[in-house]
């Protein structure tokens, strides 16, 4: 289902205790992330307000409600992607101007500090989409880390303290088949820790880089589709050996369709077998000290720092984005990869070498995940009902939201109220008028 209102989000998460210690929700949302995040936080708060009422047979007093609200914010766990920089560089789903998006990202971080939101990551600084767009592992790592340091500088410029917001930053990388991916995490952690300590004077917790790995979607192929599980297994293995904080293994059929239940179970089994059956994975760092790992770490770090210098020469991340530097480099590397793939210089088993003598049989039927007409109409009906119920409140709230932007106030603080009476479309259109709509630099 799509999320247009707070009601939709409550339907999506019904049945889950959003503050349970074992519940963590990751939202891979970027352009509309602030509004969806505000809906999520409100859904968690309402869930526990309703629980209080059910347990006590009465509504909480204002003081009790405020305590429940603050407790919920302190205990809810998860991540929202919200990385607008990689959207410009690699994925193309920006909706607001970059300047305004960065401002609201800072508002979220500030809100998290003021309300003691410590178990939720306010941004997942993402290299995965940069890699999927075609970047090689060096560019993925260099662009992603430089985007992270840009956020650090932006938040510091607001007067925030490094140790207040740095622990709520997380990273998201892609693992492919190239050798550099083997040391992706350790190089990222080394560069981050040194910069946090030496440049920013951050404490030990802020020096610890947390990152998620997803196996490479670009490495999956429609030909010999069953071989994709082998590639995913190897990518998952090096992610676990490199001590990633969390891992997503792709389903083998994602090369052609939305994953089926069977393929998702197989993808999950890859992680379970490595973690529960593969004995060497029980050692925290089995590759530590190996010559190739040490050498790769030095070479990749040197290459990443060299790329930092090229970005700095172009006025930093934002200056480089204005000239399309990152996007251009990603496109060049994508073309280079495609050329090597088509010439066979980059061997891909079953695709451009060791092809099946029986050809590439087309599956008789492919299970596609599509909404039914009833589901579509249900979504539209819920939206219309929401608009009708809040028709008297939403205009004033939208005006208040726009005024917060004009006054340079904390937009997310107002969004927490706005999502209770305004839909995502209403909020987005209102913010377009004062925050600016995204336009790519040409």
């Amino acid at each position: 289902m799509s999320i247009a209102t707070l009601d939709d989000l409550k339907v999506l998460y019904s049945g889950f205790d959003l503050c349970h210690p074992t519940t963590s929700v990751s939202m891979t949302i970027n352009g509309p992330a602030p509004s969806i995040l505000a809906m999520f936080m409100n859904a968690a708060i309402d869930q526990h307000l309703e629980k209080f009422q059910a347990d006590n047979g009465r509504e909480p007093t204002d003081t009790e409600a405020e305590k429940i609200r603050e407790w919920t914010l302190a205990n809810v766990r998860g991540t929202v992607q919200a990385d607008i920089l990689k959207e410009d560089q690699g994925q193309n789903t920006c909706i607001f101007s970059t300047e305004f998006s960065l401002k609201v990202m800072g508002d979220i971080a500030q809100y998290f500090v003021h309300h003691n939101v410590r178990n939720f990551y306010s941004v997942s600084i993402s290299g995965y989409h940069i890699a999927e767009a075609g970047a090689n592992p060096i560019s993925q790592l260099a662009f992603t880390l430089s985007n992270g340091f840009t956020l650090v500088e932006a938040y510091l410029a607001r007067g925030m303290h490094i140790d207040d917001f740095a622990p709520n930053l997380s990273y998201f990388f892609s693992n492919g088949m190239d050798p550099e991916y083997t040391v992706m995490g350790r190089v990222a952690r080394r560069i981050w820790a040194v910069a946090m300590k030496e440049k920013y004077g951050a404490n030990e917790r802020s020096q610890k880089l947390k990152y998620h790995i997803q196996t490479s979607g670009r490495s999956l192929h429609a030909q010999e589709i069953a071989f994709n599980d082998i590639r995913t297994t190897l990518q998952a293995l090096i992610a676990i050996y490199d001590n990633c904080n969390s891992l997503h293994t792709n389903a083998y059929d994602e090369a052609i369709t939305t994953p089926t239940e069977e393929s998702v179970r197989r993808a999950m089994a890859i992680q379970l077998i490595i973690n529960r059956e593969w004995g060497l994975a029980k050692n925290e760092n089995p590759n530590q000290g190996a010559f190739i790992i040490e050498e790769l770490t030095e070479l990749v770090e040197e290459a990443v720092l060299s790329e930092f210098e090229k970005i700095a020469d172009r006025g930093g991340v934002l200056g480089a984005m204005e000239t399309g530097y990152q996007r251009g480099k990603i496109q060049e590397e994508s073309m280079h990869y495609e050329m090597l793939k088509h010439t066979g210089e980059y061997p891909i088993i079953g695709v451009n070498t060791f092809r099946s003598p029986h050809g590439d049989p087309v599956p008789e039927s492919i299970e596609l995940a599509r909404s039914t007409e009833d589901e579509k109409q249900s979504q539209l009906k819920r939206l219309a009902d929401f608009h009708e119920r809040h028709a008297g409140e939403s205009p004033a709230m939208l005006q208040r939201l726009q005024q917060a932007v004009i006054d340079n106030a904390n937009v997310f603080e107002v969004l927490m109220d706005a999502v209770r009476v305004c839909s995502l479309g209403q909020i987005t259109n209102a913010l377009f008028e004062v925050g600016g709509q995204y336009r790519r630099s040409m």
Side-chain angles (χ1 to χ4, degrees):
M1 65 180 290
S2 61
I3 303 298
T5 67
L6 176 59
D7 289 354
D8 293 336
L9 199 132
K10 287 181 177 180
V11 170
L12 180 64
Y13 288 112
S14 60
F16 292 93
D17 181 350
L18 296 180
C19 287
H20 194 276
T22 61
T23 301
S24 179
V25 176
S26 176
M27 296 184 283
T28 53
I29 304 162
N30 295 282
S35 299
I36 301 294
L37 176 61
M39 290 179 188
F40 176 80
M41 293 298 187
N42 273 282
I45 291 166
D46 286 357
Q47 190 178 79
H48 285 272
L49 288 172
E50 290 165 8
K51 185 177 184 301
F52 177 95
Q53 187 169 355
D55 291 345
N56 295 276
R58 62 176 178 83
E59 291 188 1
T61 64
D62 289 346
T63 302
E64 289 170 333
E66 185 58 29
K67 285 183 178 179
I68 291 170
R69 179 187 178 90
E70 294 302 319
W71 180 88
T72 302
L73 293 174
N75 283 276
V76 70
R77 296 172 182 273
T79 308
V80 62
Q81 203 163 93
D83 181 1
I84 208 62
L85 296 177
K86 64 88 181 173
E87 288 299 316
D88 177 277
Q89 297 165 17
Q91 202 177 19
N92 302 315
T93 59
C94 302
I95 57 177
F96 302 118
S97 67
T98 301
E99 181 183 9
F100 177 68
S101 295
L102 281 174
K103 193 267 181 197
V104 179
M105 287 174 70
D107 289 345
I108 294 172
Q110 191 101 53
Y111 183 91
F112 276 24
V113 172
H114 287 165
H115 293 273
N116 195 34
V117 182
R118 283 286 175 260
N119 296 312
F120 205 99
Y121 294 105
S122 63
V123 58
S124 176
I125 305 156
S126 303
Y128 184 85
H129 310 88
I130 290 171
E132 288 294 290
N136 66 33
I138 300 299
S139 293
Q140 178 196 174
L141 188 51
F143 291 169
T144 309
L145 283 173
S146 60
N147 289 346
F149 288 125
T150 300
L151 294 181
V152 168
E153 292 288 345
Y155 295 178
L156 290 173
R158 296 170 59 108
M160 298 173 66
H161 190 275
I162 187 72
D163 295 326
D164 286 340
F165 67 81
N168 285 76
L169 302 176
S170 67
Y171 280 86
F172 175 22
F173 298 118
S174 168
N175 255 15
M177 301 297 286
D178 298 307
E180 293 89 347
Y181 289 112
T182 311
V183 297
M184 178 84 71
R186 69 186 64 217
V187 173
R189 282 176 168 146
R190 180 190 287 188
I191 292 174
W192 181 259
V194 170
M196 286 291 110
K197 181 179 180 180
E198 303 297 337
K199 180 174 175 59
Y200 300 110
N203 65 22
E204 185 178 342
R205 187 178 181 216
S206 298
Q207 294 169 30
K208 294 178 180 178
L209 181 145
K210 284 82 64 178
Y211 75 96
H212 172 78
I213 284 283
Q214 182 171 342
T215 57
S216 171
R218 189 172 63 148
S219 70
L220 306 181
H221 302 280
Q223 302 96 322
E224 301 273 15
I225 196 168
F227 290 3
N228 288 334
D229 274 344
I230 301 170
R231 298 182 179 99
T232 296
T233 299
L234 295 169
Q235 293 162 11
L237 193 63
I238 62 171
I240 290 169
Y241 280 5
D242 208 25
N243 298 306
C244 65
N245 294 91
S246 58
L247 173 65
H248 173 111
T249 36
N250 284 329
Y252 73 92
D253 54 358
E254 288 187 53
I256 55 174
T257 184
T258 304
T260 60
E261 183 177 348
E262 179 265 344
S263 69
V264 169
R265 180 166 173 77
R266 281 171 59 169
M268 191 65 221
I270 290 171
Q271 292 194 48
L272 292 172
I273 290 169
I274 292 173
N275 283 315
R276 302 294 179 91
E277 296 185 34
W278 182 241
L280 193 58
K282 294 179 175 22
N283 185 305
E284 186 175 314
N285 209 338
N287 290 332
Q288 187 69 31
F291 170 80
I292 184 60
I293 297 299
E294 299 301 314
E295 188 72 4
L296 272 174
T297 300
E298 297 294 335
L299 290 171
V300 171
E301 181 181 22
E302 182 180 353
V304 168
L305 295 177
S306 175
E307 185 59 48
F308 280 0
E309 292 180 359
K310 295 174 185 175
I311 293 171
D313 289 343
R314 289 164 173 80
V317 166
L318 298 177
M321 283 168 58
E322 288 180 6
T323 61
Y325 172 71
Q326 295 97 326
R327 175 168 286 272
K329 199 164 190 297
I330 291 168
Q331 290 172 345
E332 287 174 12
E333 290 169 2
S334 178
M335 289 295 293
H336 181 65
Y337 168 81
E338 291 298 323
M339 182 193 72
L340 295 179
K341 188 169 76 171
H342 285 290
T343 62
E345 292 176 75
Y346 186 94
I348 303 174
I349 308 304
V351 177
N352 63 9
T353 186
F354 293 101
R355 299 281 300 273
S356 170
H358 306 295
D360 298 316
V362 178
E364 291 184 12
S365 64
I366 299 175
E367 183 181 338
L368 301 177
R370 296 290 185 268
S371 298
T372 65
E373 186 59 31
D374 287 345
E375 288 170 337
K376 293 176 185 177
Q377 293 305 319
S378 173
Q379 176 79 53
L380 292 171
K381 183 176 184 300
R382 279 200 308 274
L383 179 60
D385 289 346
F386 184 90
H387 282 161
E388 185 177 348
R389 287 202 318 274
H390 300 292
E393 305 162 274
S394 57
M397 182 59 75
L398 292 170
Q399 189 174 2
R400 180 186 159 202
L401 183 63
Q402 290 180 322
Q403 193 61 45
V405 178
I406 294 167
D407 295 340
N408 200 32
N410 191 304
V411 176
F412 189 72
E413 192 91 44
V414 182
L415 274 175
M416 285 291 289
D417 294 331
V419 296
R420 304 191 73 83
V421 296
C422 304
S423 68
L424 180 61
Q426 290 174 315
I427 290 169
T428 301
N429 287 328
L431 291 178
F432 275 155
E433 295 178 11
V434 287
Q437 197 163 351
Y438 176 76
R439 292 288 185 272
R440 180 174 302 288
S441 297
M442 302 298 289

